[in-house]
Amino acid sequence: MKLGYLGPSGTYSEEAAHNYSPDAEMVSYPSIPTVSTAVEKREIDQCVVPIENSLHGTITDVIDFLVRTDSIRIAGELAVPIDHCLMAKPGTKIADITMVFSHPQSLGQSRKYLATTLSHVQAVTSLSNAQAVIDMQESDTVAGAIAPLRAAEIYGAEVLAEAVQDNPNNYTRFVVLDDSDSPPTGNDMTSVAFQFSEDEPGLLYQALGVLKENSINIVKIESRPTGERLGRYTFLLDIELHRTDPVGGETIEKLTEMSSWFKVFGSYPRMKDLPIRG
């Protein structure tokens, strides 16, 4: 099986892809749109893409793709703990580092460490955590990088400090995209999206009432602009059901009738609850 991921090698996305299917043929892509489109065109069988971070929220590129596509669904989900490491060329000491490279999000998640241990260092953004290690190695000055442990292993960097992120409960949720979703397991999640043609009081309340009537738990709810005009939104729900369950099918049918546009992103096995760390 060809499994795509958001590259390059050494990213958390690659780690998620290996965790999902370690025996698959891994194919790296430079962006979420390119790897998602590769599945749509069947250049690869599946892809693993980040959809949500526990600190920064939803990755909108994935949501926008799912809203647009007619042929791809979510077939699975998994989470990866985000553990940032400070690394450098072998033999480098922290006190000698004058510049540190990392992805902007990783720099933001490591503010306390940067403000204390690395207060003497200039922070520089890179296109990805893995690219940060490459930028560090190619730097003319003594530099470090904040990146996953796997990146140090791949690129031959020495880890100087582990778990430098501010919040130990930092996880990224990934989804598996395929041309079909998964059969029911008895412990499933379904992701849906819907819109209303009119803007009237109580429309969303009525839709959520359907879920309450059927005792269906909402795991996540949010909205995204439709792109049509200000004030028009697509509502997104993650709900505990499978679309083919009797109650699930009835619920989706009612929501469809209440909406001007309704779409099932996919039904898939729900991952286990994440442990609280630290």
Side-chain angles (χ1 to χ4, degrees), residues 3-33:
L3 181 63
Y5 68 92
L6 176 61
S9 298
T11 60
Y12 289 107
S13 293
E14 187 204 29
E15 180 179 344
H18 275 281
N19 291 348
Y20 170 68
S21 183
D23 296 327
E25 178 185 345
M26 301 293 171
V27 185
S28 172
Y29 287 85
S31 68
I32 288 175

Side-chain angles (χ1 to χ4, degrees), residues 15-248:
E15 180 179 344
H18 275 281
N19 291 348
Y20 170 68
S21 183
D23 296 327
E25 178 185 345
M26 301 293 171
V27 185
S28 172
Y29 287 85
S31 68
I32 288 175
T34 55
V35 68
S36 303
T37 302
V39 177
E40 198 172 33
K41 293 180 177 180
R42 305 314 292 166
E43 296 173 2
I44 52 179
D45 299 294
Q46 295 180 329
C47 75
V48 175
V49 290
I51 195 170
E52 179 185 8
N53 179 262
S54 59
L55 303 182
H56 294 274
T58 297
I59 288 84
T60 55
D61 283 350
V62 178
I63 297 298
D64 292 342
F65 170 78
L66 289 169
V67 168
R68 176 185 62 80
T69 184
D70 293 322
S71 58
I72 299 302
R73 284 187 166 178
I74 300 175
E77 67 171 352
L78 69 158
V80 170
I82 304 303
D83 288 314
H84 298 318
C85 298
L86 175 67
M87 58 194 70
K89 295 178 182 178
T92 302
K93 296 181 180 179
I94 293 179
D96 297 331
I97 295 175
T98 61
M99 185 178 296
V100 63
F101 294 90
S102 194
H103 186 273
Q105 197 171 83
S106 300
L107 291 173
Q109 294 170 357
S110 308
R111 286 192 181 96
K112 292 180 182 178
Y113 190 81
L114 290 169
T116 54
T117 306
L118 297 181
S119 60
H120 62 289
V121 171
Q122 177 188 359
V124 181
T125 60
S126 297
L127 292 176
S128 70
N129 289 310
Q131 183 62 44
V133 184
I134 298 173
D135 292 341
M136 172 270 292
Q137 292 174 326
E138 295 178 349
S139 175
D140 294 331
T141 63
V142 180
I146 293 177
L149 179 61
R150 180 171 172 78
E153 298 169 350
I154 291 175
Y155 298 106
E158 179 181 348
V159 175
L160 304 181
E162 296 186 26
V164 302
Q165 68 274 10
D166 298 343
N167 191 330
N169 293 300
N170 187 356
Y171 291 89
T172 294
R173 175 184 171 223
F174 292 82
V175 290
V176 180
L177 302 184
D178 201 342
D179 61 357
S180 61
D181 53 7
S182 299
T185 66
N187 182 29
D188 301 293
M189 184 91 76
T190 296
S191 297
V192 302
F194 56 93
Q195 301 170 5
F196 300 113
S197 59
E198 303 295 333
D199 187 11
E200 299 177 1
L203 287 176
L204 181 59
Y205 176 82
Q206 294 172 25
L208 299 182
V210 173
L211 301 173
K212 183 180 184 302
E213 291 171 5
N214 291 330
S215 300
I216 295 170
N217 186 43
I218 301 173
V219 177
K220 180 183 177 184
I221 179 172
E222 64 179 312
S223 61
R224 285 281 297 146
T226 63
E228 298 170 357
R229 64 180 187 271
L230 283 173
R232 305 299 295 177
Y233 290 91
T234 299
F235 295 97
L236 309 162
L237 296 179
D238 286 347
I239 48 183
E240 288 184 322
L241 59 80
H242 194 280
R243 62 181 178 81
T244 64
D245 295 337
V247 174

